[in-house]
């Protein structure tokens, strides 16, 4: 047996509706998994907790257990014991007891806030009641009595998730919110940003980032990019969001958290629905049928929320859609694709989708159409406004499109964009990390081959090897690219990203287009590009 992870769940989660813990394991029979479940159930009864249950997925199992919010570490210890061969005894009980952090005041206050639907966020640093500029935080050792809390003010709060487009949509919405006079705080894979200024850099798309924004005393509009990892590790950070939007689902990051297919990925992304308040709104991509079908199957009882759609074509179900070169919001013109710099004149359909999602989310928060249009027009395809996403440069009379695309869906979107852009020759720099399985590598190559580029520059990613030989990944990509009809003499290989970049740039002539997928040397690439602009 192999235990993948055991972790605390701090909010509503794919497996639970409240705080608890889960353990994920593989390479075990169903009979053995049920033995583990039986051990967990008996131990949980001893501590008077809830009933654990067994979750089966394509490659293994998980046992999840809902417990009081102050018992999460103890629950993790219990689940670890349940998946061992250790016999129950006083030492086991003592080990679990030592992880308890009993705090009845925390439980009582939390129960009151949930029942009264009073906005709050919590963690080991304290309990925060009210959000953003209205927030007040107490230490867990000095919590107010529930009777002293009758109400608290919220701020507009939006979740954004999906496989691709999350960060761009989040940034677009931040520009829109600023245009409407708000002081927005946003989380993203680039960091926590408040009113356009980076507060902390890094991949901040989990519950810690969300709490940081929701506790910021200047923020009056919260935009929370929420990634698969955060949802599956901790759950949602806030239970009463006004609106949530999901951009799309496509193959990526398989193999962890029981996610081994697009349908399972859709389930994980849709768990964000558990963080939307009654009367709130969920916005889905109508062109992504798996999203809608999965929502209908997994949340048939969520009739208490409004579900709206965006689409790249006129459709009676779409609240916002593209018709020709014009985007319509509730059947009225909002703007043209020329008004959205990131659409590259309409060539980048994926950014039109992102713009429609951001616009509909903003509209549902009461932002008027003029502010929406203004905000969309402010965001340019530059490293400053859109770091790593659709960065457009001129290089010696050629065009270079720099992007972080790292999966089949992202590369497909760029390929389709390139095919709409006029060029005499087309080149592609790409590679892949060592943690993707062969299915994901093949999907990436199908997208790459569909470009039918004049030359492919396949790079190794040694900083993202995940224990695998980077050259082996390159070799697989090259061999599979040939199987997809690309002649070997159109393919070059490189041991690192910058070598591939320098080689590709040397080949460029007037009228050429280079799709430059950067993953390990973005800042160095930008320096080269900007020097050329000067």
């Amino acid at each position: 047996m192999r235990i993948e992870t055991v972790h605390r769940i701090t909010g509503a989660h794919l497996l639970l509706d409240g705080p608890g813990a889960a353990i994920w394991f593989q390479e075990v029979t169903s009979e053995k998994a049920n033995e583990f479940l039986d051990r967990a159930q008996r131990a949980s009864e001893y501590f008077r907790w809830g009933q654990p249950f067994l979750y089966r997925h394509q490659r293994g199992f998980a046992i999840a257990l809902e417990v009081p919010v102050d018992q999460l570490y103890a629950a993790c210890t219990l689940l670890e014991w349940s998946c061992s061969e250790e016999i129950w005894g006083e030492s086991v009980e003592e080990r679990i007891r030592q992880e308890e952090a009993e705090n009845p005041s925390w439980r009582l206050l939390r129960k009151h806030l949930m029942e009264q639907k009073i906005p709050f966020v919590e963690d080991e640093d304290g309990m925060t009641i009210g959000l953003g500029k209205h927030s007040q935080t107490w230490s867990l050792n000095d919590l107010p009595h529930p009777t002293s809390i009758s109400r608290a003010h919220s701020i507009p709060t939006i979740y954004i998730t999906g496989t691709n487009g999350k960060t761009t949509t989040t940034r677009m919405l931040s520009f829109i919110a600023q245009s409407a006079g708000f002081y927005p705080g946003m989380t993203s894979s680039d960091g926590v940003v408040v009113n356009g200024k980076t507060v902390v850099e890094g991949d901040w798309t989990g519950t810690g980032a969300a709490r940081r924004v929701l506790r910021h005393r200047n923020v009056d509009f919260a935009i929370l990019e929420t990634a698969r990892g955060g949802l599956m590790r901790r759950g949602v950070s806030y239970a009463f969001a006004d609106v949530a939007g999901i951009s799309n689902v496509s193959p990526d990051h398989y193999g962890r958290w029981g996610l081994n297919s697009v349908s399972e990925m859709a389930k994980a992304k849709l768990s964000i629905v558990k963080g939307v308040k009654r009367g709130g709104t969920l916005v889905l991509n109508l062109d992504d049928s798996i999203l809608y079908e999965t929502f209908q199957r997994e949340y048939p009882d969520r009739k208490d929320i409004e579900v709206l759609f965006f689409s790249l074509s006129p459709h009676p179900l779409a609240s916002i859609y593209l018709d020709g070169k014009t985007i319509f919001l509730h059947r009225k013109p909002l703007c043209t694709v020329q008004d959205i710099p990131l659409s590259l004149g309409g060539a980048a359909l994926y950014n039109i989708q992102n713009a429609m999602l951001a616009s509909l989310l903003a509209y549902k928060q009461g932002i008027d159409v003029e502010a929406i249009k203004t905000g969309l027009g402010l965001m340019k395809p530059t490293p400053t406004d859109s770091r790593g996403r659709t960065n457009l440069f001129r290089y010696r009379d050629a065009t270079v499109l720099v992007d972080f695309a790292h999966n089949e869906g992202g590369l497909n979107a760029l390929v389709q964009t390139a095919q709409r852009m006029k060029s005499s020759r087309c080149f592609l720099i790409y590679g892949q990390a060592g943690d993707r399985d062969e299915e994901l590598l093949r999907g990436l190559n199908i997208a790459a081959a569909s470009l039918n580029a004049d030359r492919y520059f396949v790079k190794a990613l040694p900083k993202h090897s995940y224990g695998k030989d980077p050259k082996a990944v390159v070799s697989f990509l090259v061999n599979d690219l040939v199987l997809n009809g690309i002649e070997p003499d159109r393919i070059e290989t490189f041991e690192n990203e910058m070598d591939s970049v320098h080689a590709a740039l040397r080949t460029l002539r007037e009228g050429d287009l280079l799709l430059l997928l950067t993953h390990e040397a973005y800042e160095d690439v930008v320096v080269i590009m900007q020097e050329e602009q000067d």
Side-chain angles (χ1 to χ4, degrees):
M1 182 193 70
R2 179 169 65 86
I3 293 179
E4 180 182 327
T5 184
V6 59
H7 58 104
R8 294 170 297 133
I9 295 172
T10 56
H13 183 274
L14 176 66
L15 302 184
L16 301 174
D17 291 330
I23 188 166
W24 300 77
F25 50 94
Q26 299 181 18
E27 300 169 11
V28 66
T29 64
S30 294
E31 181 181 14
K32 197 66 176 177
N34 279 304
E35 285 183 22
F36 295 157
L37 176 63
D38 181 64
R39 284 164 63 89
Q41 287 173 336
R42 285 186 281 115
S44 181
E45 288 172 4
Y46 182 85
F47 287 98
R48 298 182 180 179
W49 291 341
Q51 278 294 306
F53 71 94
L54 187 67
Y55 176 76
R56 293 175 170 83
H57 60 88
Q58 184 178 330
R59 300 183 185 178
F61 304 87
I63 296 175
L65 168 64
E66 191 166 330
V67 299
V69 68
D70 55 340
Q71 308 289 291
L72 304 188
Y73 287 104
C76 289
T77 303
L78 183 150
L79 290 176
E80 286 182 306
W81 170 83
S82 71
C83 295
S84 73
E85 300 296 333
E86 186 179 3
I87 297 173
W88 181 269
E90 290 185 4
S91 62
V92 175
E93 180 183 344
E94 177 62 21
R95 193 160 68 243
I96 295 173
R97 293 286 188 199
Q98 288 175 351
E99 294 295 340
E100 288 185 300
E102 288 190 286
N103 190 331
S105 296
W106 188 5
R107 296 190 203 180
L108 190 64
L109 179 57
R110 188 182 198 280
K111 182 174 184 289
H112 171 76
L113 298 174
M114 289 293 292
E115 289 176 347
Q116 299 301 315
K117 296 181 173 53
I118 295 172
F120 72 95
V121 291
E122 62 189 341
D123 58 11
E124 294 166 337
D125 294 330
M127 172 72 77
T128 300
I129 301 175
L131 302 183
K133 66 179 184 178
H134 308 296
S135 64
Q136 184 175 356
T137 301
W138 286 265
S139 163
L140 294 181
N141 296 321
D142 189 27
L143 293 172
H145 193 273
T147 56
S148 68
I149 307 295
S150 59
R151 62 194 297 266
H153 293 290
S154 184
I155 60 174
T157 307
I158 299 171
Y159 282 124
I160 296 173
T161 191
T163 303
N164 296 305
K166 300 184 294 295
T167 298
T168 297
T169 303
T170 298
R171 289 169 172 164
M172 285 178 167
L173 186 51
S174 182
F175 274 97
I176 291 169
Q178 287 177 288
S179 296
F182 286 102
Y183 200 97
M186 57 172 263
T187 66
S188 78
S189 56
D190 281 337
V192 176
V193 179
V194 174
N195 205 40
K197 304 295 183 182
T198 299
V199 174
V200 57
E201 293 183 351
D203 190 350
W204 283 72
T205 53
T207 54
R211 287 191 294 269
R212 189 158 186 155
V213 165
L214 295 172
R215 285 172 167 158
H216 198 290
R217 294 303 300 272
N218 292 327
V219 168
D220 59 7
F221 195 99
I223 311 164
L224 309 176
E225 177 184 336
T226 307
R228 161 202 54 90
L231 285 170
M232 294 302 293
R233 184 176 289 106
R234 297 283 183 256
V236 298
S237 54
Y238 176 58
F240 308 115
D242 303 295
V243 186
I246 306 181
S247 58
N248 51 63
V249 289
S250 64
D252 196 17
H253 293 294
Y254 286 167
R256 290 205 70 193
W257 311 110
L259 306 178
N260 305 295
S261 67
V262 177
S263 294
E264 289 174 334
M265 189 67 71
K267 284 177 61 177
K269 299 293 185 182
L270 278 161
S271 66
I272 209 166
V273 172
K274 294 185 177 184
V276 178
K277 68 181 183 182
R278 293 178 63 87
T281 301
L282 173 68
V283 180
L284 298 177
N285 184 345
L286 188 60
D287 302 328
D288 193 326
S289 60
I290 291 177
L291 268 180
Y292 179 72
E293 292 165 2
T294 306
F295 173 74
Q296 293 288 86
R297 183 177 65 252
E298 298 296 324
Y299 297 96
D301 57 340
R302 286 306 307 260
K303 307 299 183 184
D304 59 313
I305 63 173
E306 177 185 39
V307 183
L308 301 178
F309 300 97
F310 62 96
S311 176
L312 283 172
S313 61
H315 192 288
L317 288 180
S319 295
I320 188 168
Y321 58 84
L322 179 67
D323 188 357
K325 296 291 185 180
T326 302
I327 293 175
F328 288 82
L329 174 61
H330 292 304
R331 305 292 182 255
K332 295 180 179 179
L334 172 65
C335 64
T336 70
V337 295
Q338 298 295 336
D339 296 320
I340 306 171
L342 251 64
S343 79
L344 307 184
L349 290 179
Y350 62 96
N351 274 337
I352 296 174
Q353 289 180 311
N354 295 332
M356 288 192 290
L357 174 55
S359 298
L360 193 50
L361 294 172
Y363 189 77
K364 289 304 298 182
Q365 293 289 39
I367 295 180
D368 64 62
V369 294
E370 286 305 315
I372 293 172
K373 181 176 178 179
T374 298
L376 292 176
L378 289 175
M379 188 172 171
K380 306 296 192 298
T382 64
T384 302
D385 289 354
S386 184
R387 183 179 184 274
R389 278 84 176 175
T390 320
N391 294 169
L392 195 65
F393 300 95
R394 294 292 294 172
Y395 187 89
R396 298 178 184 173
D397 295 321
T399 299
V400 180
L401 184 57
V402 177
D403 199 275
F404 281 163
H406 58 276
N407 55 43
E408 178 182 352
L411 182 51
N412 262 324
L414 284 180
V415 167
Q416 292 165 13
T417 299
Q419 291 168 341
R420 296 184 189 95
M421 299 172 69
K422 293 181 179 179
S423 63
S424 53
R425 298 185 303 168
C426 187
F427 306 100
L428 172 65
I429 296 176
Y430 80 117
Q432 187 54 284
D435 62 341
R436 266 53 166 201
D437 61 20
E438 291 187 359
E439 179 185 352
L440 292 177
L441 293 177
R442 290 191 180 98
L444 186 72
N445 263 354
I446 290 172
S450 69
L451 179 63
N452 194 27
D454 292 271
R455 187 162 295 278
Y456 292 85
F457 301 84
V458 184
K459 61 184 180 180
L461 298 175
K463 296 179 183 177
H464 293 79
S465 63
Y466 297 96
K468 186 179 290 187
D469 181 0
K471 293 180 181 179
V473 177
V474 169
S475 179
F476 183 94
L477 290 174
V478 170
N479 292 336
D480 190 65
L481 202 55
V482 172
L483 290 176
N484 278 280
I486 303 302
E487 296 85 353
D489 62 2
R490 283 199 276 163
I491 307 170
E492 292 185 56
T493 63
F494 301 87
E495 295 186 0
N496 60 71
E497 185 162 282
M498 287 311 297
D499 285 351
S500 69
V501 169
H502 289 305
L505 294 179
R506 284 195 297 267
T507 69
L508 291 182
R509 303 194 299 248
E510 180 180 356
D512 289 345
L513 171 63
L514 169 62
L515 298 186
L516 198 169
L517 275 55
T518 177
H519 306 103
E520 295 188 344
Y522 174 73
E523 303 298 341
D524 293 333
V525 168
V526 169
V527 168
I528 293 173
M529 293 296 109
Q530 290 181 333
E531 285 177 348
E532 182 67 19
Q533 314 312 301
D534 296 338

